[in-house]
Amino acid sequence: MMPSANLPTFTLKQVASHSSKKSCYVTLGSKVYDLTEFLPDHPGGDDLILEYAGKDISQIIVDADSHVHSEAAYEILEDCLVGFLSPEDAKKVANGSAAAKNVASAVTNPGPAADAPNYRTGMSSAEELSIPTDYTADFKTHKFIDLNKPMLMQVWRGNFTKEFYLQQVHRPRHYRGGESAPLFGNFLEPLSKTPWWVIPIIWIPCVCFGLNKASEGLSNETVATCFVGGLAIWTFIEYCMHRFLFHLDEWLPDNNNFLTLHFLLHGIHHYLPMDRYRLVMPPTLFIALAIPFWKLAHTIFYMNWYIGTAVYCGGIFGYICYDLTHYFLHHKNLPSYYRELKKYHLQHHFADYENGFGVTSRFWDRIFGTELPPLPQKTA
């Protein structure tokens, strides 16, 4: 593609100077893209983009080991186009990389989509989870929630049928620029947002305190055994809660109050899955769920309070791992095992929310027959 008269040209040196979170440019073929605003929304995490800030991404964008990008990824790139490389530098890039030529051709002349959109979610790839929603057009089309306004009262007063509500809440939207859509629209709003780092800061000291109390009545070996046992029990609780509490869609009463409760508990996450401040459980909600489990642990292990405490601490540590894993699966570049888990979890969001309930592993999905099948591979 020839440089447009409406867009400037850049040298490679100029592009290289935009290599930070405040200004992040990349090149792909002869095109220059400003990904600064997209950084918080990248499904692979902003750290992966920043690794290539100021550089050419022709190799990484087609690297199957990292991630096979869909047509939606190239659509997002085109929205970020800010200019072109100077003819001299464009030749240098093209001559130095065969991938640059192939990708440039694919972006200029995109072929037909490899996968049809899922009829329930309206999406065909993880990248589409990060395409900003046109709030006004979406509300005009679906008559569900206007993201320009606080969401909670719209759900509560919406008089939606259960069928319509579930159809809409499982069609993901995306609020622009890494921000959070308003939920309450009042002084309660901060209570609905939780940065990921709050979880270890609050709960790891509690786990350490509990283990210290347990060690007053148990040997270190027994504490460790109970802790690991509690961690194993958590994996089953994680699966059951995700499947039978967060996704109790089939058994959800057709009532505004229950629909609103469902939206607060998990529906909002499926509606806005890339909202980085609503990916971990707010401490107030966690306390409400944790108290019954404290009583249950000490009821089951009634013969020894210290054993119940150590097992409970193992379960709480499992929850911490779960919440942090969940956040990182949505927003960070991860080692190979977690990259596969990331694809698996995002598939739960954009393709099949009725399966794939494991977040930290697929183990219980395999046991209970809810494992997601591999996505079909794209063919040339």
Side-chain angles (χ1 to χ4, degrees):
M1 177 181 289
M2 293 298 293
S4 166
N6 297 322
L7 292 173
T9 58
F10 296 86
T11 65
L12 287 173
K13 186 175 181 180
Q14 288 174 321
V15 173
S17 68
H18 296 271
S19 57
S20 68
K21 275 192 174 184
K22 294 182 179 179
S23 183
C24 178
Y25 284 17
V26 297
T27 63
L28 184 61
S30 63
K31 296 183 176 182
V32 179
Y33 302 95
D34 181 358
L35 301 184
T36 310
E37 291 189 3
F38 180 63
L39 284 174
D41 300 330
H42 183 229
D46 58 7
D47 52 344
L48 181 58
I49 295 181
L50 288 170
E51 185 180 341
Y52 290 86
K55 303 174 185 177
D56 185 76
I57 60 171
S58 298
Q59 297 288 348
I60 189 63
I61 203 168
V62 295
D63 181 9
D65 291 334
S66 174
H67 175 52
V68 178
H69 289 78
S70 69
E71 284 78 7
Y74 297 106
E75 291 175 10
I76 293 171
L77 271 177
E78 288 305 292
D79 289 337
C80 299
L81 182 66
V82 292
F84 298 85
L85 285 176
S86 64
E88 296 79 9
D89 283 335
K91 287 180 181 178
K92 292 178 184 177
V93 172
N95 290 336
S97 171
K101 298 177 183 179
N102 296 333
V103 174
S105 174
V107 175
T108 305
N109 304 294
D115 302 309
N118 181 280
Y119 75 97
R120 290 179 296 182
T121 67
M123 294 185 169
S124 61
S125 69
E127 283 83 10
E128 293 185 49
L129 295 170
S130 297
I131 296 178
T133 298
D134 183 328
Y135 313 150
T136 303
D138 182 74
F139 181 68
K140 184 177 180 180
T141 301
H142 297 287
K143 300 294 191 298
F144 182 51
I145 292 176
D146 183 353
L147 287 172
N148 290 299
K149 303 174 183 177
M151 295 181 285
L152 184 65
M153 297 308 292
Q154 294 184 70
V155 175
W156 192 44
R157 295 172 177 171
N159 291 317
F160 304 128
T161 65
K162 169 184 167 181
E163 181 182 10
F164 174 78
Y165 165 81
L166 291 175
Q167 285 176 350
Q168 293 301 317
V169 85
H170 289 302
R171 292 182 68 89
R173 276 74 164 184
H174 182 59
Y175 203 71
R176 302 184 190 99
E179 298 296 326
S180 295
L183 179 61
F184 296 102
N186 56 28
F187 67 95
L188 293 173
E189 192 72 22
L191 296 178
S192 73
K193 302 177 185 178
T194 309
W196 70 268
W197 44 264
V198 167
I199 301 305
I201 286 177
I202 291 181
W203 302 122
I204 285 182
C206 295
V207 169
C208 292
F209 177 78
L211 291 175
N212 183 61
K213 296 298 292 183
S215 68
E216 294 176 2
L218 303 170
S219 67
N220 290 337
E221 292 78 8
T222 303
V223 170
T225 300
C226 293
F227 180 83
V228 172
L231 188 58
I233 291 170
W234 163 259
T235 65
F236 181 65
I237 293 173
E238 171 196 316
Y239 176 85
C240 290
M241 288 185 66
H242 195 183
R243 181 177 181 181
F244 299 113
L245 178 61
F246 297 163
H247 282 274
L248 76 171
D249 302 0
E250 182 181 345
W251 303 279
L252 191 65
D254 195 348
N255 175 283
N256 270 11
N257 294 326
F258 284 98
L259 298 185
T260 303
L261 182 61
H262 178 274
F263 187 76
L264 283 172
L265 193 61
H266 196 61
I268 188 173
H269 175 53
H270 272 260
Y271 188 65
L272 296 165
M274 299 305 289
D275 184 340
R276 61 178 53 234
Y277 294 109
R278 296 193 176 111
L279 280 170
V280 298
M281 194 175 294
T284 48
L285 177 58
F286 177 71
I287 290 172
L289 293 175
I291 289 175
F293 282 105
W294 169 265
K295 295 185 178 297
L296 178 63
H298 288 88
T299 299
I300 294 174
F301 299 99
Y302 66 91
M303 74 296 293
N304 191 314
W305 183 90
Y306 298 105
I307 289 178
T309 299
V311 170
Y312 183 78
C313 287
I316 297 300
F317 184 76
Y319 152 73
I320 295 169
C321 294
Y322 156 79
D323 245 359
L324 297 185
T325 298
H326 189 213
Y327 179 86
F328 294 148
L329 292 183
H330 278 267
H331 283 289
K332 292 294 180 182
N333 182 37
L334 299 164
S336 57
Y337 166 76
Y338 285 98
R339 281 203 297 269
E340 291 305 311
L341 204 57
K342 180 188 189 79
K343 294 176 186 177
Y344 185 75
H345 181 65
L346 294 184
Q347 185 182 347
H348 167 76
H349 279 282
F350 75 79
D352 186 359
Y353 54 84
E354 293 180 329
N355 290 290
F357 301 107
V359 173
T360 55
S361 81
R362 308 185 190 193
F363 177 78
W364 293 108
D365 277 320
R366 289 171 179 163
I367 296 296
F368 292 110
T370 56
E371 185 176 15
L372 290 165
L375 288 170
Q377 294 297 313
K378 295 180 184 295
T379 56

